[in-house]
Amino acid sequence: MERHSSSIGKDLSNCAFNHHQIPYQLLIQYFYEGLMSTDRSIIDAASEGALVDKTPEAALQLISNMAANSKQFGTHGDFPSK
């Protein structure tokens, strides 16, 4: 089941302590594979290429920033329709 990137980004950001000791490269791969295709395209565009070409640290920082921006500014789905 696919989830929206802002909720997954928040989940991934919360893994900063990585209690399960899963390598960040795998966490990022699992995160990326769980995205809808449009969200993958947005992440790749923000990566100036492909997310998988970034170091785990750079990818995590990018995802964390995108999640923070999404939380701060919201999304179209957050506003009530008239």
Side-chain angles (χ1 to χ4, degrees):
M1 182 169 97
E2 294 183 348
R3 294 171 39 191
H4 193 273
S5 63
S6 62
S7 65
I8 295 175
K10 191 184 314 177
D11 292 345
L12 189 61
S13 298
N14 290 335
C15 290
F17 300 111
N18 200 359
H19 299 291
H20 303 290
Q21 298 181 347
I22 298 171
Y24 281 113
Q25 189 71 31
L26 281 178
L27 285 175
I28 293 164
Q29 179 182 343
Y30 297 153
F31 163 78
Y32 186 82
E33 290 172 357
L35 294 173
M36 292 183 277
S37 62
T38 53
D39 291 329
R40 282 188 202 133
S41 296
I42 291 168
I43 291 259
D44 286 338
S47 298
E48 298 177 342
L51 183 69
V52 295
D53 292 338
K54 295 230 175 260
T55 65
E57 295 80 13
L60 183 60
Q61 184 64 46
L62 176 69
I63 293 164
S64 296
N65 289 345
M66 291 179 78
N69 287 341
S70 176
K71 182 177 179 181
Q72 179 179 357
F73 297 110
T75 62
H76 293 292
D78 293 340
F79 301 106
S81 60
K82 293 182 179 181

